Amino acid sequence: MRLRPYAWLPWPLRWLARALTVLLALALVLTGVVVHTVRKSYPQVDGSLRLPGLTGNVEIYRDKSGIPQIYADTSEDLFMAQGFVHAQDRFWEMDFRRHVTAGRLSELFGEATLDSDKAIRTMGWRRVAEQELSELSERTRRYLDAYAKGVNAWLKANPNASDRSLEYSVLKATGVDAEPEPWTALDSVAWLKAMAWDLRSNMEDEIDRALVLTKLPRDRVEQLYPGYPFDEHAPIVTRGAIRQDRFDQTAAPRLRAGTRPHGPAAAALAQAARTLDAVPGTMSTAERDGIGSNSWVVSGEHTRSGKPLLANDPHLSAAMPSVWYQTGLHCRELSERCSYDVTGFTFSGVPGVVIGHTDKIAWGFTNLGPDVADLFLEQVTGDTYLYQGEQVKLEKRQEKIKVAGGDTVTIEVRSTRHGPLINEVMGDVKPSAGANAVALQWTALMPGRTADAIFALNEAGDWHEFRAAAALFEVPAQNLVYADTSGNIGYQAPGRIPVRAKGDGTWPVPGWTGEYDWKTAPIPYDRLPSVENPPEGYIVTANNAVIDPRRYQPLLTKDWSYGYRSQRITDRLREAIAKGDVDASTMSSIQQDTRNGLAETLVPALMDVELAGAAVQARELLKDWDGSQGVGSAPAAYFNAVWRHLLSATFDDDLPEGARASGGDRWYVVVRRLLDTPDDPFWDDTTTRGRTETRDDILRQAMADAYQEVSELLGPDVRAWRWGDLHRLTLTNASLGTSGIAPVEALFNRGPLSVAGGKDAVDATGWNVAKGYAVTSVPSMRMVVDLADLDKSRWINLTGASGHAFHANYWDQAETWARGELLPMRSKPDSVKQAAVHTLRLRP
């Protein structure tokens, strides 16, 4: 999403405004005014402040990384102080996200973000959050209100734009007076909708299948969506089945077979696809194949300390600042009045800790990825739609969108029983005899209890309390791994996962028959897969299949990641366990594993092809290559270029532009199977007349094109090539970092950094083969928790604690992150105070 603050102006004035902004920005930089302005927004981190609404004193210790550790005597004071601290460091980020989730970005950025606002208003994120808020527990609402009080106390103390953040000053210079409103509990709950959107499941895959079907027959489309390779890459849960309406890890399964779905209607689906693309990613980008995570846990029987170790690194977009904010929340004395002692990664705008550890347990998340969204093709006539032989009235509502520098835009949102018509956001669909509209049914558009789950997780002390908390974590559904100081490890699949009357969710389905409708109740929590203390002594999740569907029903999804990361982690763990050598450094080393899982298959095929010319010397780089993708690797640079050109040459002529190969591990499986069929039609380039290409023709062309491209980019000396010179990460501010105005972008963006890894390496630094080698998704943080001594735990954030450009903690962790190193994750009072370089005391 490119945010262009002047899009609403006529083009001559737009040019003038940009020119003036450039001159202004340059003048500010040259005179040092920017630094002066920015420093006014830096938080007070020492001394004492009065915070009306507190019931007692609060202490906030910050280490040299600016990470706050908060100490209080009541839970309400703790969360009020967290709100204050989040606002100190990240209020612009919070306010920007609030505008995203409410569909109000156009109030700040004009017409440039109108499509985004239309899409979000159509789905009604904030409307759902309003319903959700009223259904949360009284305790959760109390804590959300306390957090909001802390945010608003900071906001009241900083009434001027220049006191809040540089972004407000820049907007003001462009004529936009972005005066923030008070924070509310609803703002926090609405952010959970954005989290659910970014971690949604196979919505795009459904549309892609349907769009590809407009060009290819069904059997060739299904070639591009192969089944999960269960015989090669283990699922998360390898034993157990449902017995007496509960998942029992000791039960023997009865193997079953699955079903196949229905097909689509292209015109409405193309518009629906544009709607989905218009929604801005808050945690992820449009590069969906790179969004995932790794987490695993090892029991004490295999570790040096005799206690469990837990690792987690969620793969999200490369945001600036990072989506995560490190915090410790500590009650000085644990009691009913104050029941939290938790350290970990938080979201600015949301109270509590999302991933981390208490004084007794630790947990990590990866995206479970169940199919929780379906696209229903509808037959709409006027203000009605067809359902089971009858014309039913569409539900309708109007949404008014304020646009900076322009008129308010009113849209009409229409919905069927399945959900809002998302195709109508980007243009009207002309009536036709068949399907002419697309409705979205998605679990996140139903009120849920995820906010309750966060607070319950944060005070859990054992496996049973953890599972009870996980039962509340409905959307987005996540794989949860668990470890505790008593030596237990576990896995739980939570979430609201629909049960379909018919179909498997892989294709858009007709809505008018009713036969594909969701059943009233989702999969019961007790029937979801769960494992405690498995005999192998470890559990690995990396967006791989949860469980073999032949042993487990109902269906979770068919669109898993294909298990290259999870199997590599498992293999590395087994090696370390065999040596009796598992400690925190082992876990960190596995997080940094850069091995390309396709190399051992593709490289031999490349070596067998007759090749002439300058590309021969480049191919020699691969001869003894072990598949690792370090920043200094010449073979990795060439191999990834070959992969990029191989996918383009093989599939671009067959697929619609919006559904072309992006390079994720699904394509590993597709290409691996194609290598065994050298005359498969996919190898033929349909744009060449009178010639039918085979596998070796395409492999040869890919190697030649890769050599040509990399030599132009990095020079003709193949041994001087470095993967890190191609594979670079620019930390881009989520709002003004894509303004299109170079001096403004320079204020907020940082980098580039050379980084190791690749799209489906364990060190998952994703890139899109269709667009180049630039990094689009990353391990957004890394954490290793040592349950033998929590103070020996380690962590790292992608950027830093501060959201204030030019602050010392704005991106001070980035280079450490890029090197794969971790920082101490302190949580005990003595170590926290010893490491503190700043102490702020809040008083009533």
Side-chain angles (χ1 to χ4, degrees), residues 44 52 63 83 129 187 189 216 221 231 251 267 296 328 384 425 480 497 513 515 578 611 670 693 717 720 738 749:
Q44 179 178 338
D63 63 11
D187 296 326
V189 175
L216 297 175
V221 176
D231 294 337
W296 66 95
T384 67
V425 173
L480 269 65
I497 302 172
T513 68
E515 59 186 328
L611 188 65
V670 172
E693 287 83 3
D717 182 357
T738 56
N749 299 343

Side-chain angles (χ1 to χ4, degrees), residues 355-419:
I355 294 173
H357 69 78
T358 69
D359 59 326
K360 294 184 177 66
I361 76 162
W363 71 95
F365 284 176
T366 62
N367 200 16
L368 176 62
D371 193 341
V372 295
D374 279 348
L375 297 169
F376 284 86
L377 303 173
E378 307 284 12
Q379 294 184 16
V380 174
T381 304
D383 288 334
T384 67
Y385 66 99
L386 181 65
Y387 183 73
Q388 293 186 333
E390 296 183 4
Q391 292 299 129
V392 181
K393 276 277 190 184
L394 289 162
E395 295 180 17
K396 295 190 293 183
R397 71 175 192 273
Q398 286 192 336
E399 295 281 345
K400 296 183 182 298
I401 304 172
K402 296 180 181 178
V403 180
D407 296 329
T408 296
V409 173
T410 301
I411 63 170
E412 183 176 71
V413 178
R414 306 198 297 173
S415 303
T416 71
R417 63 185 293 114
H418 301 117

Side-chain angles (χ1 to χ4, degrees), residues 2 17 35 52 88 203 238 250 484 508 548-549 628 666 733:
R2 305 271 307 168
V35 175
Q88 278 188 306
M203 228 182 290
T238 56
T250 66
D484 63 36
D548 192 327
S628 62
R666 170 164 68 88
N733 187 277

Side-chain angles (χ1 to χ4, degrees), residues 318-335:
M320 178 80 232
S322 167
V323 69
W324 299 108
Y325 183 95
Q326 297 147 289
T327 313
L329 302 172
H330 311 284
C331 294
R332 295 189 184 98
E333 262 185 50
L334 292 174
S335 65

